Amino acid sequence: MSEAPVNRILRSSIVDGPGNRAVVFLQGCNFDCVYCHNPETIALCNSCGKCLPACLRGALIRGNAPSSVEASGGPLGAVLWKKESCVFCGACLEACPRNSSPRVRLMSPGAVMAEIEKDLPFIRGVTVSGGECTLYPAFLLELGTLTREKGLTFFIDTNGSHDFSKPNRAGEDEGLLEVTDGVMLDVKADPGSDEEHKRVTGRSGYDILGLGEFLARRGKLYELRTVVSPGLFDAAALVDKTCRRFAGLDPRLQYKLIRYRPIGVRRLQAERLAVPGDSLMKRLAAICGGYGIRALVV
Ligand code: SF4
Ligand code: SF4
């Protein structure tokens, strides 16, 4: 049975795929986006203990039980989170020097489904986000299968670093595309420019548009997503380049244009980024419209 570090489970969301959905946020990301709105989901906790004094509720303890995170915790034991004592004040996140969180649970797909089970009559499906959820393909495959068995749809929110067109070496993702009803794909910067892509995400560009095309041709691409901040990159050029590739591929495809907002970013360089005005967002939406792609500005 596969397990993955779960940062949190949102019982209801109407912005993470079609309809009302449960959203599972996995911990760990292979990108380091300059504007990340959930920076505490990027790194795995190493149980250094620097957040322990920040918790005034006794919700963090040293323990010898396997931690919900990667490290054993060394001779002092892992840092463990007692959910029942936590008031979600966020002080531990502020104290962590590596953008991690001690509030992470290592969960099996079955345990996640058991937590979601009580909401099944009210939701249309499950979306897995992150961090970067495709770092855990075996977990996704199992959770997707369980979700489909319940008659619900299964969506994945990804930065596109996982190549759905080829099974990975361990074969853990064999069948993942079949159990996935839709993918929300981030187009974060011009994939053809290593300089721009590195500046925005910390990683070189790659064939994200090719991956998107592969998904769209199979009816699996639900949404493209770009976060817009003037001065960070040429958003109009990126949206135009992207739409040109996807025009006519799938009439259901939508492009979510996300206005950068300095909320939850918690990193100095992100706080300095510019917030786009209405005129730029309208211009981007018009570019999408010109290619017959529905834009959703948020
Ligand atoms: S959450 Fe951060 S500060 Fe706390 S133990 Fe883990 S790495 Fe250390
Ligand atoms: S969020 Fe929870 S674990 Fe973190 S400091 Fe606050 S009470 Fe403690």
Side-chain angles (χ1 to χ4, degrees):
M1 184 193 293
S2 53
E3 291 180 317
V6 176
N7 179 285
R8 67 186 191 281
I9 298 173
L10 196 58
R11 290 174 57 185
S12 169
S13 166
I14 53 162
V15 295
D16 293 283
N20 188 26
R21 313 184 69 78
V23 188
V24 183
F25 294 87
L26 300 186
Q27 184 76 17
C29 188
N30 49 359
F31 279 25
D32 188 11
C33 298
V34 64
Y35 50 64
C36 183
H37 288 85
N38 299 305
E40 74 281 4
T41 63
I42 294 174
L44 293 173
C45 169
N46 65 3
S47 285
C48 71
K50 289 188 177 141
C51 57
L52 285 170
C55 182
L56 305 178
R57 297 288 178 152
L60 300 177
I61 53 167
R62 281 280 186 196
N64 290 317
S67 168
S68 55
V69 290
E70 67 172 356
S72 69
L76 292 173
V79 169
L80 302 176
W81 178 52
K82 294 198 292 178
K83 189 180 177 192
E84 62 285 2
S85 305
C86 180
V87 294
F88 299 91
C89 66
C92 51
L93 308 183
E94 296 293 334
C96 177
R98 53 186 262 136
N99 279 330
S100 187
S101 169
R103 302 181 328 209
V104 174
R105 295 174 291 162
L106 194 60
M107 296 177 80
S108 67
V112 169
M113 188 47 74
E115 225 165 273
I116 292 171
E117 198 108 49
K118 50 188 171 296
D119 299 317
L120 292 186
F122 312 109
I123 58 174
R124 247 173 90 183
V126 176
T127 296
V128 191
S129 183
E132 174 50 38
C133 67
T134 61
L135 295 177
Y136 309 97
F139 174 91
L140 291 180
L141 178 58
E142 221 174 303
L143 183 60
T145 305
L146 287 177
T147 302
R148 289 287 203 85
E149 283 169 6
K150 302 284 181 193
L152 300 176
T153 56
F154 185 69
F155 277 63
I156 288 176
D157 173 7
T158 177
N159 61 23
S161 56
H162 181 84
D163 188 351
F164 284 88
S165 67
K166 296 187 200 105
N168 70 11
R169 263 191 236 129
E172 305 156 300
D173 56 348
E174 203 93 51
L176 179 56
L177 197 57
E178 282 68 41
V179 300
T180 302
D181 293 288
V183 173
M184 279 86 88
L185 186 66
D186 294 332
V187 182
K188 292 169 178 289
D190 182 353
S193 164
D194 270 351
E195 183 281 318
E196 179 174 305
H197 211 270
K198 267 189 193 150
R199 181 159 41 79
V200 178
T201 72
R203 290 262 309 242
S204 302
Y206 54 98
D207 190 16
I208 183 88
L209 302 183
L211 172 67
E213 274 181 354
F214 169 83
L215 293 168
R217 289 186 194 286
R218 279 152 188 81
K220 301 280 184 174
L221 185 63
Y222 174 72
E223 182 177 88
L224 297 159
R225 292 178 166 181
T226 295
V227 175
V228 178
S229 171
L232 185 58
F233 58 86
D234 185 342
L238 179 62
V239 169
D240 188 83
K241 180 175 186 173
T242 304
C243 287
R244 194 171 306 153
R245 287 283 288 268
F246 290 92
L249 278 189
D250 183 344
R252 299 165 303 171
L253 178 64
Q254 62 181 17
Y255 201 146
K256 188 182 273 186
L257 302 165
I258 304 169
R259 201 188 290 263
Y260 167 75
R261 290 184 182 86
I263 298 166
V265 291
R266 295 200 297 109
R267 293 194 290 188
L268 203 57
Q269 81 267 31
E271 283 166 12
R272 290 184 186 137
L273 293 175
V275 177
D278 288 344
S279 61
L280 174 58
M281 300 309 286
K282 278 187 191 151
R283 194 174 141 220
L284 299 178
I287 293 172
C288 296
Y291 287 100
I293 295 175
R294 189 164 65 91
L296 193 64
V297 175
V298 295

